Amino acid sequence: MRAAAVSRSIEITDADFLKFRDFFYRKTGIHFDDSKRYFVDKRLIERIEATGADDFRSWFIALRFESKGEELQQLVNAMTVNETYFFREAYQFDCMVNDMLNEVARRKKPGGRIRIWSIPSSTGEEPYSIAIYLLERWKLIEDYEVEILSSDIDTQVLQMAQRGVYSSRSVAQLPKPYLEKYFRRLNDNEFAISRDLVDAVEFSRVNLTDANDTRRFRDIDLVFCRNLLIYFDDLSRRVAAEAFYDAMSPGGFICLGHSESMSRITSLFEVRRFRDAMVYQKPLQGERR
């Protein structure tokens, strides 16, 4: 009862919303337009209540000047949307094993390293789907050293990904043999993924618009960045595209969500049309265009 009373007493004004929106954009590259106002206000009030602050102003001052960034991370976790499932937009995974990886492998020596980066990780369905596809459908998996990296700005979903427990809804698109092979049923609605698959993915917290976070990623051969750039504005999208370009090996590929287009963001990448999907490629010469 007391929480409900506090909720009614806290107001997010138009000026508060604009202050927060500008601050959050500078920190994350994520832009909230007016259509997201209800969602943002609700999450802000929840964070204000959780910290015990009296109002938006006192909470926001403490947020801006905190030294460890703990409340900022809690805020990021609250504001990011993480909805996914295994084998989502699987046609791009088909393209990965049928075409993209074969092309990458031809530029490698036998036993060479292939690096795949999945961002955002969300709760882990995408990187684990990649791992299952590689094990089940890529004929050259034994001939190369494949590394799967997966990143997200939200530390809470990274913890969930490393825990590896999923609902029946999350695994609904998996073929039954894969579900039986790589998962253990915990109860009627939960499945635990194989710890071997958990150990096969290297998870890390990354802010895609922060050069300090992205510069450690290099020699990436394949990037999955699906349904993230739709939350960025044009400037942040260009920053993200340049970060990917710098991280990728010449000839590397990047997959975006079905409603996203790299061609509308930058001319750094070339369009490649394969039988299963249209993707984007860093030019082989590796020079900025």
Side-chain angles (χ1 to χ4, degrees), residues 14-24 26 56 60:
D14 292 346
D16 294 339
F17 174 75
L18 293 176
K19 285 179 183 178
F20 165 75
R21 183 171 71 177
D22 292 345
F23 170 83
F24 197 72
R26 290 195 304 272
F56 173 86
F60 191 59

Side-chain angles (χ1 to χ4, degrees), residues 21-126:
R21 183 171 71 177
D22 292 345
F23 170 83
F24 197 72
Y25 171 74
R26 290 195 304 272
K27 293 294 185 181
T28 67
I30 297 173
H31 174 75
F32 292 116
D33 59 30
D34 292 341
S35 68
K36 299 292 194 299
R37 178 67 188 270
Y38 175 79
F39 168 82
V40 171
D41 284 9
K42 184 173 184 292
R43 296 298 189 274
L44 286 177
I45 291 172
E46 289 172 354
R47 288 312 312 158
I48 293 169
E49 290 179 354
T51 61
D54 293 330
D55 50 31
F56 173 86
R57 182 177 182 276
S58 58
W59 171 82
F60 191 59
I61 290 174
L63 173 70
R64 290 176 59 198
F65 293 102
E66 66 171 350
S67 58
K68 295 183 179 180
E70 293 177 354
E71 175 59 19
L72 175 60
Q73 185 61 61
Q74 292 294 327
L75 181 64
V76 168
N77 293 355
M79 290 292 176
T80 48
V81 178
N82 299 282
E83 183 177 355
T84 186
Y85 49 86
F86 282 88
F87 283 26
R88 184 180 185 180
E89 296 180 13
Y91 62 90
Q92 291 181 332
F93 300 141
D94 292 330
C95 187
M96 173 181 71
V97 297
N98 291 332
D99 292 292
M100 288 187 287
L101 282 182
N102 294 332
E103 191 168 310
V104 168
R106 287 195 290 269
R107 297 192 293 270
K108 306 279 186 178
K109 296 179 180 179
R113 183 180 65 172
I114 294 175
R115 309 190 83 199
I116 302 172
W117 186 16
S118 167
I119 179 171
S121 161
S122 187
T123 45
E125 286 91 335
E126 179 169 281

Side-chain angles (χ1 to χ4, degrees), residues 67-263:
S67 58
K68 295 183 179 180
E70 293 177 354
E71 175 59 19
L72 175 60
Q73 185 61 61
Q74 292 294 327
L75 181 64
V76 168
N77 293 355
M79 290 292 176
T80 48
V81 178
N82 299 282
E83 183 177 355
T84 186
Y85 49 86
F86 282 88
F87 283 26
R88 184 180 185 180
E89 296 180 13
Y91 62 90
Q92 291 181 332
F93 300 141
D94 292 330
C95 187
M96 173 181 71
V97 297
N98 291 332
D99 292 292
M100 288 187 287
L101 282 182
N102 294 332
E103 191 168 310
V104 168
R106 287 195 290 269
R107 297 192 293 270
K108 306 279 186 178
K109 296 179 180 179
R113 183 180 65 172
I114 294 175
R115 309 190 83 199
I116 302 172
W117 186 16
S118 167
I119 179 171
S121 161
S122 187
T123 45
E125 286 91 335
E126 179 169 281
Y128 293 139
S129 293
I130 292 170
I132 293 171
Y133 250 80
L134 291 173
L135 291 169
E136 294 293 332
R137 302 191 184 183
W138 193 42
K139 296 178 180 179
L140 301 179
I141 184 64
E142 299 294 337
D143 298 332
Y144 296 89
E145 178 189 350
V146 180
E147 294 182 0
I148 302 176
L149 314 175
S150 193
S151 309
D152 204 291
I153 197 172
D154 185 334
T155 55
Q156 185 173 7
V157 296
L158 287 170
Q159 291 173 359
M160 294 171 67
Q162 291 171 302
R163 179 170 175 254
V165 175
Y166 297 97
S167 69
S168 56
R169 178 183 178 277
S170 290
V171 302
Q173 300 299 318
L174 279 169
K176 186 176 180 181
Y178 296 174
L179 183 62
E180 294 175 348
K181 183 175 181 179
Y182 295 105
F183 292 80
R184 175 171 53 89
R185 181 184 285 274
L186 299 179
N187 51 54
D188 289 343
N189 191 50
E190 288 187 316
F191 298 81
I193 199 166
S194 162
R195 298 314 298 178
D196 288 339
L197 284 185
V198 175
D199 293 341
V201 179
E202 180 181 330
F203 290 97
S204 62
R205 182 202 173 276
V206 168
N207 179 346
L208 189 52
T209 60
D210 186 341
N212 292 324
D213 285 356
T214 59
R215 65 167 53 102
R216 68 178 184 268
F217 290 86
R218 290 296 181 264
D219 303 319
I220 304 296
D221 297 296
L222 179 55
V223 174
F224 284 88
C225 180
R226 308 191 297 179
N227 306 310
L228 172 63
L229 300 184
I230 55 175
Y231 298 103
F232 290 3
D233 69 351
D234 290 343
L235 176 59
S236 295
R237 291 188 187 107
R238 287 195 294 271
V239 170
E242 291 180 1
F244 286 134
Y245 184 93
D246 291 339
M248 292 168 64
S249 300
F253 297 99
I254 181 167
C255 298
L256 302 182
H258 69 275
S259 65
E260 300 169 312
S261 171
M262 186 65 78
S263 301

